[in-house]
């Protein structure tokens, strides 16, 4: 039986924070073991999920106290991420679990979302607290596209999945990505403008990325893999979205969805996305398309 394992690369070097992260991963691992692998009764799952929620809230308070103590400049933005997880994501997961009577699918969703959230949050936001990350947020209003790609997209990906991730050029609708999955996120700015991301990734690459995240092998796509990668993509894309404005919360997530191949073609119609970026991951490829549209274009017939 495979198990989710803590990885030392998640350490940020602050013991009270690292200890809490290890505990949160251990709780998710226990839920995964008891309910998904051993098919124990739902009571064990209920208690595990309650414990995760309570411990996460305790951890957020401790981490926020540490950030205030060291005078961390990104405290308010970081706290807002905690607040969204505490007030929106976890309650929504809990409602879905009870509504489905703790079905296997919703428990897998809980495991995937929590693992993806922890991975993205630790490697992007938490490591920034101690300056251990190479990720630097820049404004995407700059004309230096290479700087934008490196700082906002490539470096975070390398933090998560290693130096084999490289930017290789332009992506188009004709680019061949085997068994491609299409995931779209749409953000809305304060002035009504939209920011859209489309992630195009092959199933083999998706499974390899999930294996790196969980520290275990995946041989087939399931709810755990999909929701973990969906949550991780949101962390990466939220980081990129924040770089389109001076205010870290300039853009708020409006919606996300998986698309069919037939739905992707029109996105490359008369007005192609501003950024069509192709990346290599060992022998495989994936793409990220970014499109920012002002209010005037959104209101045009």
């Amino acid at each position: 039986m495979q198990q989710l394992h803590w990885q030392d690369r998640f350490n940020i070097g602050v013991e009270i924070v690292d200890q809490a992260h290890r505990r949160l991963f251990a709780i998710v691992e226990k839920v995964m073991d008891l309910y998904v692998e051993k098919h124990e009764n739902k009571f064990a799952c209920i208690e595990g999920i309650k414990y995760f929620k309570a411990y996460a809230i305790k951890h957020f308070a401790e981490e926020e106290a540490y950030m205030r103590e060291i005078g961390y400049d990104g405290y308010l933005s970081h706290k807002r991420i905690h607040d969204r997880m505490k007030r929106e994501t976890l309650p929504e997961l809990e409602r879905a679990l009870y509504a489905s009577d703790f079905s296997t699918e919703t428990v897998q969703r809980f495991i995937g979302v929590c693992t993806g959230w922890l991975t993205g949050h630790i490697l992007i936001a938490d490591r920034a607290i101690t300056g251990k990350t190479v990720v630097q947020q820049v404004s995407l209003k700059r004309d230096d596209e290479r700087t934008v790609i490196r700082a906002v997209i490539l470096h975070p990906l390398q933090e998560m999945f290693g130096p084999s991730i490289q930017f290789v050029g332009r992506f188009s609708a004709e680019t061949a990505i085997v068994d491609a999955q299409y995931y779209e996120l749409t953000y809305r700015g304060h002035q009504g403008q939209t920011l859209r991301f489309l992630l195009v990734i092959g199933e083999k690459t998706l499974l390899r990325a999930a294996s790196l995240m969980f520290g275990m092998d995946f041989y087939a796509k399931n709810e755990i893999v999909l929701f973990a990668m969906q949550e991780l993509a949101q962390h990466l894309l939220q980081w990129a979205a924040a770089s389109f404005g001076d205010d870290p919360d300039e853009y708020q997530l409006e919606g996300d969805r998986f698309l069919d191949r037939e739905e992707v073609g029109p996105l490359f119609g008369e007005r192609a996305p501003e950024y069509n970026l192709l990346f290599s991951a060992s022998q495989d490829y994936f793409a990220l398309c970014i499109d920012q549209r002002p209010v005037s274009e959104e209101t045009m017939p």
Side-chain angles (χ1 to χ4, degrees):
M1 180 187 66
Q2 297 185 25
Q3 290 184 323
L4 170 65
H5 292 295
W6 169 262
Q7 301 173 62
D8 288 341
R9 69 192 182 100
F10 294 147
N11 288 321
I12 71 167
V14 179
E15 183 55 32
I16 190 172
V17 174
D18 291 335
Q19 184 180 36
H21 290 161
R22 288 192 292 270
R23 172 61 66 181
L24 288 169
F25 268 93
I27 298 169
V28 176
E29 178 185 355
K30 191 67 173 176
V31 172
M32 188 172 183
D33 179 35
L34 288 175
Y35 202 71
V36 178
E37 299 287 350
K38 294 181 178 176
H39 304 289
E40 298 280 345
N41 62 55
K42 71 178 183 182
F43 177 75
C45 183
I46 292 171
E47 292 304 305
I49 290 167
K50 284 182 179 177
Y51 187 30
F52 180 92
K53 181 180 177 181
Y55 197 87
I57 291 171
K58 175 178 179 291
H59 162 59
F60 293 161
E62 291 175 343
E63 189 172 272
E64 289 161 15
Y66 174 76
M67 288 188 285
R68 291 194 300 270
E69 181 182 335
I70 65 172
Y72 177 53
D73 289 342
Y75 168 76
L76 289 177
S77 178
H78 197 123
K79 184 179 185 302
R80 282 192 283 267
I81 297 173
H82 287 172
D83 289 343
R84 282 194 291 269
M85 181 63 167
K86 180 170 58 178
R87 297 171 184 170
E88 298 174 21
T89 305
L90 286 175
E92 180 184 341
L93 289 173
E94 202 168 29
R95 283 192 295 270
L97 286 162
Y98 279 99
S100 70
D101 196 29
F102 287 76
S103 68
T104 299
E105 290 75 16
T106 55
V107 175
Q108 288 180 330
R109 179 187 176 192
F110 172 86
I111 293 167
V113 168
C114 290
T115 304
W117 191 92
L118 283 169
T119 301
H121 187 65
I122 291 169
L123 293 179
I124 294 178
D126 284 345
R127 291 188 70 186
I129 297 172
T130 57
K132 291 183 179 294
T133 178
V134 297
V135 176
Q136 298 294 326
Q137 201 168 72
V138 298
S139 172
L140 286 184
K141 295 174 182 175
R142 296 179 182 178
D143 294 330
D144 187 352
E145 187 177 80
R146 287 276 176 171
T147 298
V148 168
I149 294 167
R150 285 196 303 270
V152 179
I153 300 167
L154 183 59
H155 286 167
L157 285 171
Q158 290 175 338
E159 289 274 323
M160 295 176 189
F161 303 117
S164 66
I165 306 295
Q166 296 295 326
F167 171 64
V168 294
R170 294 291 168 198
F171 170 76
S172 72
E174 289 73 38
T175 305
I177 295 181
V178 179
D179 296 324
Q181 315 288 309
Y182 305 93
Y183 176 53
E184 182 188 53
L185 296 102
T186 303
Y187 291 82
R188 181 72 62 177
H190 292 165
Q191 304 302 317
Q193 70 274 34
T194 61
L195 179 62
R196 184 177 66 198
F197 295 88
L198 178 67
L199 176 65
V200 186
I201 185 168
E203 185 168 353
K204 183 179 177 182
T205 309
L206 182 71
L207 293 175
R208 183 182 296 116
S211 296
L212 286 170
M213 185 193 314
F214 282 82
M216 56 184 281
D217 293 328
F218 285 94
Y219 301 102
K221 184 177 62 177
N222 60 23
E223 294 295 305
I224 293 176
V225 171
L226 288 177
F227 280 106
M229 296 310 299
Q230 179 179 347
E231 194 66 30
L232 193 61
Q234 287 194 32
H235 273 278
L236 174 63
L237 300 183
Q238 283 168 357
W239 179 271
S243 298
F244 273 81
D246 297 327
D247 180 357
D249 290 321
E250 170 69 20
Y251 288 86
Q252 298 296 321
L253 181 64
E254 187 174 61
D256 66 298
R257 58 177 179 152
F258 287 96
L259 303 177
D260 295 328
R261 171 72 181 178
E262 294 72 25
E263 297 177 281
V264 175
L267 300 180
F268 293 85
E270 294 182 0
R271 185 193 185 286
E274 292 178 82
Y275 296 88
N276 295 301
L277 312 175
L278 184 64
F279 298 87
S280 63
S282 298
Q283 301 300 313
D284 300 314
Y285 295 91
F286 65 94
L288 180 62
C289 305
I290 307 173
D291 193 27
Q292 184 183 35
R293 297 199 177 190
V295 180
S296 59
E297 290 191 25
E298 289 298 311
T299 57
M300 288 175 62

